[in-house]
């Protein structure tokens, strides 16, 4: 399979007055064509930061450090100028549905006008053509063309999310980053949106990076799962490797799964992870998870475990695994 | 299973809350009434002493309005609330305050519900002052320490001098719980208490709340949209749709054996952490989105989205809750056929 994206040694630090917050520290992964890669973890583990880094637009005081490589369709976008990125990468090759984007639609413009703005900024087309294209995309996300004349407050959360998704697909990007696209929605609407995304992925031959904290949701959409903790990858494996019989290998993934309440099975007692994620200005020595880990050994607090491939396609960063 | 009168701590009888939108003079004079929003439209349930009762529903189902009615933050349009054998639907100011001491609330957002300028000690002392509890500072401090110990914040002295921003989301929700416990309430209303908390600590908070409930013999009204935590946390649940209860019963019973098509659809929509579903488009036995409570469909209010709807569902009167035994109620006239 062809790789559409290669991320190598990605480091993104927020330079604050107290020191550098190491939000992403040496993150490497690949994304194949037509694949959905899920990013999961607690809040503050670097999921959204990864998404934003892929668009090469970290929010200040964040900076992508030297030595990081983001190779998109064979081209390292780190070497491109801001102008080139804007012209040829952002929204053209990679687009993103931001967390809570549906609440960021301008309340004073109609949907048609807002969508038109995005389209005409990038494409040289007259109003008539643009309108036709917008109608086509509204149809694809299951909305009637009348929606163009409506204002955001006239629509439900599910409808607004569909509009944001349509806007992200306009310019035919190859990769779409979805940051918690269903978090604020009800379960039934969530399931409808997930179905829609699966259909769109087939229609347009897209690749997705799907960011969520919900492991159950990730199981339904992602081909491979990347579990992040404190700015690093803890485990990366296929859907089968993480959710199958054998289960995950990293103690963090294991605990996260055990903390997920199940609907269809009665669970007497859910487990949880004591403590909170570490301060990334001064992360713990050794494995960053060791102060909260239930399988901690002496070595864990001394040396940082490397991300090793323990079986084909399954990478784990834990001293307990592999050898 | 019949409910013994003495076992019931809170009884809601045919409670309604209709919000009338503002009318202009012209609208009033021409008699063109704007539509009334029927947020809660005739619900009845009883909560037993010492149980955790879950109220489940999507946004717009009226679950939060019900919570506010129970807390007496808003007045009902009609119906009655009976607490501990006493009708508290309409009460004077003094009685309301006394009621609120017995029924306390935990809010959804632990980042917004604690005053950032108050130390934890002050956060916890405030209810004692508001409710004019006897005792001086020393006595209050003893009560604060007791409340902090009850929510397992050990050692309590260490937390008293901190500000909310020095605590994690989970710790804040513990403080919010301690603040309600300090008044020795009989019942807690918790509106989505864990939806803002990280998955890794969500279970910890639910554990803590369950321990507190058991230790102190409390009763909870747990309001949520999340069926999975409801199954884990509650004893009985009621599923709401557009201001009405469509199904009610033991949590395990309702989820393992749902009778109403809406409950079935809700359960089918919940994702689960099992492999092998990536390429599957999920079948959803429901269409569209929840209608506006200002424009409730006639007949069974679910018929517009129900895959099993027949003409009689919209033509005939709305079905009332029916008992199928074992305390399991539902409001679908065709439940046997589906």
């Amino acid at each position: 399979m062809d790789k559409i994206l290669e991320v190598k040694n990605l480091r993104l630090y927020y330079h604050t007055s107290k020191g550098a917050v190491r939000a992403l520290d040496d993150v490497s992964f690949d994304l194949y064509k037509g694949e959905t890669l899920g990013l999961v973890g607690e809040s503050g583990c670097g999921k959204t930061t990864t998404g934003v880094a892929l668009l090469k637009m970290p929010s200040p005081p964040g900076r992508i450090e030297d030595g990081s490589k983001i190779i998109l369709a064979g081209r390292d976008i780190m070497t491109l100028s801001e102008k080139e990125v804007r012209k040829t990468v952002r929204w053209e090759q990679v687009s993103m549905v931001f967390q809570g984007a549906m609440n960021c639609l301008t309340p004073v413009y109609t949907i048609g006008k807002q969508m038109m703005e995005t389209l005409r900024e990038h494409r040289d087309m007259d109003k008539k053509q643009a309108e036709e294209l917008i109608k086509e995309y509204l149809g694809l996300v299951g909305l009637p063309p009348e929606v163009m004349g409506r204002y955001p407050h006239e629509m439900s959360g599910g409808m607004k999310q569909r509009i944001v998704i349509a806007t992200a697909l306009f310019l035919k990007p190859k990769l779409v980053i979805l940051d918690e696209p269903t978090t604020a929605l009800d379960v039934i609407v969530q399931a409808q949106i997930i179905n829609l995304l699966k259909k769109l992925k087939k229609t347009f031959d897209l690749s997705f990076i799907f960011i969520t904290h919900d492991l159950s949701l990730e199981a339904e959409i992602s081909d491979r799962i990347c579990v992040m903790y404190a700015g690093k990858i803890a485990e990366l494996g296929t859907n089968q490797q993480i959710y199958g019989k054998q289960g995950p290998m990293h103690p963090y993934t294991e605990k996260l799964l055990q903390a997920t309440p199940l609907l269809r099975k009665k669970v007497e007692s859910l487990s949880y992870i004591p403590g909170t994620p570490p301060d990334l200005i001064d992360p713990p020595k050794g494995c960053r998870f060791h102060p909260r880990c239930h399988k901690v050994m002496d070595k864990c607090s001394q040396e940082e475990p490397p991300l090793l491939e323990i079986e084909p396609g399954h990478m784990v960063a834990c001293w307990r695994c592999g050898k | 299973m019949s409910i013994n009168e003495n076992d019931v701590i809170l009884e809601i009888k045919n409670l309604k809350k209709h919000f009338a939108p503002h009318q202009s003079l012209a609208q009033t004079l021409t008699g063109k009434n704007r539509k009334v929003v029927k947020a809660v439209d005739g619900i009845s349930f009883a909560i037993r002493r010492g149980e955790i009762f879950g109220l489940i529903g999507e946004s717009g189902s009226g679950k939060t309005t019900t919570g506010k009615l129970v807390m007496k933050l808003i007045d009902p349009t009609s119906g009655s609330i009976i607490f501990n054998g006493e009708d508290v639907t309409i009460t004077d100011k003094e009685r309301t305050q006394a009621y609120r001491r017995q029924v306390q609330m935990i809010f959804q957002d632990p980042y917004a519900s604690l005053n950032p300028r108050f130390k934890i000690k002050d956060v916890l002392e405030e209810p004692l002052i508001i409710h004019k509890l006897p005792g001086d500072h020393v006595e209050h401090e003893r009560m604060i320490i007791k409340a902090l110990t009850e929510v397992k914040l050990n050692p309590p002295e260490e937390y008293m001098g901190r500000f909310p921003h020095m605590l994690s989301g989970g710790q804040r929700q513990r403080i919010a719980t301690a603040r309600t416990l300090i008044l020795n309430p009989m019942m807690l209303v918790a509106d989505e208490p864990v939806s803002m908390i990280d998955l890794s600590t969500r279970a910890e908070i639910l554990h803590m709340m369950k321990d507190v409930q058991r230790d102190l013999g409390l009763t909870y009204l747990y309001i949520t949209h999340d069926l999975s935590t409801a199954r884990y946390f509650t004893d009985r649940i009621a599923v709401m749709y557009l201001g009405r209860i469509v199904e009610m019963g033991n949590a395990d019973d309702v989820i393992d054996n749902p009778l109403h098509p809406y409950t079935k659809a809700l359960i089918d929509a919940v994702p689960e952490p099992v492999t092998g579903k990536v390429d599957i488009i999920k079948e959803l036995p429901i269409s569209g989105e929840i209608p506006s409570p200002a424009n409730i469909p006639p007949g069974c209010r679910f018929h517009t989205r129900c895959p099993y709807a027949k003409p009689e569902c919209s033509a005939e009167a709305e079905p009332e809750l029916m008992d199928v035994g074992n305390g399991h109620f539902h409001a679908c006239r065709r439940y046997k056929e589906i």
Side-chain angles (χ1 to χ4, degrees), chain A residues 41-43 156-159 162 185-192 195 198-199 202 213-223 239-240 243-245 256-257 259-277 292, chain B residues 57-60 63 168-169 171 174 198-204 206-207 210 225-229 231-232 234 251-252 255-256 262 265-284 286-290 305:
Chain A
E42 287 169 88
S43 359
S156 68
M159 289 167 86
R162 283 168 197 262
L185 303 173
D186 286 312
V187 275
I188 291 172
V189 184
Q190 167 174 297
Q192 289 166 346
N195 279 350
K198 285 182 182 175
K199 276 183 203 149
K202 277 223 175 87
H213 64 277
D214 185 348
L215 278 154
S216 315
L217 193 58
E218 208 70 276
E220 296 211 341
I221 189 156
S222 297
D223 301 299
N239 193 299
Q240 174 68 34
Y243 298 103
K245 273 237 164 68
L256 273 185
L257 263 180
T260 309
L262 300 176
L263 178 63
R264 292 165 185 84
K265 219 162 71 197
K266 179 85 184 168
V267 179
E268 281 313 320
S269 182
L270 281 178
S271 72
Y272 55 88
I273 308 172
T276 49
R292 302 173 74 192
Chain B
E58 290 179 273
S59 23
K63 58 187 193 303
S168 68
Q171 286 170 334
R174 283 171 192 264
D198 244 320
L199 174 73
S200 58
T201 36
R202 191 172 291 181
E204 189 183 352
L206 290 177
H207 265 296
K210 229 174 183 168
H225 70 280
D226 183 352
L227 273 165
S228 312
T229 58
R231 162 150 216 183
Y232 174 65
T234 64
D252 292 345
I255 288 164
D256 287 336
Y262 177 64
L266 266 186
I267 290 171
D268 283 344
V270 175
E272 267 209 300
V274 289
T275 186
K277 289 190 186 165
V278 175
D279 295 320
I280 299 168
I281 299 278
K282 204 183 241 183
E283 295 273 336
L284 287 172
I286 188 168
S287 56
E289 291 183 23
I290 194 164
R305 301 175 73 193

Side-chain angles (χ1 to χ4, degrees), chain B residues 26-218:
Chain B
Q27 280 171 329
T28 317
L29 292 176
T30 53
K32 267 190 203 154
N33 284 343
R34 285 181 67 184
K35 285 200 164 142
V36 172
V37 175
K38 295 176 177 174
V40 175
D41 201 17
I43 61 168
S44 306
F45 60 87
I47 303 181
R48 294 173 206 148
R49 216 174 285 276
E51 85 171 340
I52 304 180
F53 188 85
L55 209 51
I56 319 287
E58 290 179 273
S59 23
S61 63
K63 58 187 193 303
T64 295
T65 308
T66 308
K68 284 183 180 166
L69 286 166
V70 169
M71 278 310 299
K72 293 183 65 60
L73 294 170
I74 48 177
D75 289 325
T77 308
S78 68
S80 55
I81 305 169
I82 293 156
F83 180 73
N84 227 357
E86 183 192 352
D87 192 327
V88 292
T89 320
I90 297 156
T91 47
D92 57 18
K93 206 177 157 197
E94 229 165 80
R95 179 69 192 103
T96 308
Q97 181 137 357
Y99 173 78
R100 291 216 184 110
R101 243 184 85 178
Q102 292 163 322
V103 183
Q104 280 278 315
M105 186 153 189
I106 301 174
F107 295 92
Q108 176 176 4
D109 186 350
Y111 293 87
S113 64
L114 300 178
N115 189 333
R117 290 172 186 277
F118 273 25
K119 284 183 181 165
I120 298 309
K121 183 175 71 192
D122 304 321
V123 169
L124 294 178
E125 197 176 6
E126 201 180 24
L128 299 176
I129 296 167
I130 288 174
H131 288 280
K132 300 190 182 70
L133 256 63
D136 51 9
H137 272 300
V138 183
E139 171 70 9
H140 283 177
E141 200 161 302
R142 198 188 53 76
M143 291 164 87
I144 292 168
I145 290 174
K146 183 168 158 267
L148 284 171
T149 319
E150 275 164 358
V151 296
K152 318 268 177 327
L153 282 175
N154 286 317
E157 290 80 5
E158 200 178 294
Y159 289 92
M160 281 165 64
R162 294 198 196 175
F163 285 100
H165 74 261
M166 300 156 100
L167 303 175
S168 68
Q171 286 170 334
R172 286 171 197 230
Q173 207 57 310
R174 283 171 192 264
I175 299 291
T177 311
R179 178 170 61 183
T180 63
L181 296 179
I182 205 155
L183 294 168
N184 281 322
M186 297 164 82
M187 188 171 144
L188 294 186
V189 176
D191 192 352
E192 302 271 16
V194 292
S195 68
M196 300 276 292
I197 294 171
D198 244 320
L199 174 73
S200 58
T201 36
R202 191 172 291 181
E204 189 183 352
I205 294 299
L206 290 177
H207 265 296
M208 179 273 291
M209 288 180 65
K210 229 174 183 168
D211 284 347
V212 167
Q213 186 251 353
R214 219 172 289 143
D215 294 348
L216 305 177
L218 294 173

